[in-house]
Amino acid sequence: MKILITGADGMLGSDLQKVLKKNHELILGTIDIFDITDIDATINFIKINKPDLVIHAAAYTDVDGCESNIDQAYRVNALGTRNIAVGCNYTDTAMVYISTDYVFDGQKGNGYIEFDATNPLSVYGKSKLEDMIRLDHIKKR
């Protein structure tokens, strides 16, 4: 299987490479290769490479940095994720997206599931929740 990993040089992306490289052809997406905040570059990259699957691991994960760079946090985490989903939609490519527990407030007392109510307390958590909301509104072509 041909798999595009966005954020391939990050912690999650690096771990995914180690696990997947033995059995799959990997396309390593990094900021140096294409900018997920640029919708045209994102769509074109996905169209040219024709992956069977996109694992979207790119994110602005500096929690403290998000507080002082709010626009950049939303540009990468919300808009960038939307752009990946749109690119996948154009190419009929499956997308796996991994978010964060920062979309929750930590008050539950035990493990969260994807259907629990969200209540992010930080810009990072809010920007990651926004990307999940955006994905929910993208219709399959």
Side-chain angles (χ1 to χ4, degrees), residues 55-127:
I55 301 176
H56 180 44
Y60 184 12
T61 59
D62 177 354
V63 176
D64 293 331
C66 287
E67 295 297 323
S68 56
N69 297 297
I70 296 169
D71 288 344
Q72 183 66 5
Y74 278 90
R75 199 170 15 264
V76 173
N77 293 340
L79 185 62
T81 299
R82 189 271 331 245
N83 293 345
I84 294 291
V86 168
C88 289
N89 196 25
Y90 272 106
T91 59
D92 198 29
T93 304
M95 176 181 162
V96 172
Y97 175 64
I98 300 144
S99 188
T100 178
D101 61 350
Y102 277 78
V103 299
F104 304 108
D105 61 14
Q107 300 300 310
K108 184 177 176 185
N110 53 14
Y112 286 93
I113 62 170
E114 63 270 24
F115 301 109
D116 285 335
T118 57
N119 186 31
L121 302 177
S122 66
V123 170
Y124 172 66
K126 290 173 184 174
S127 70

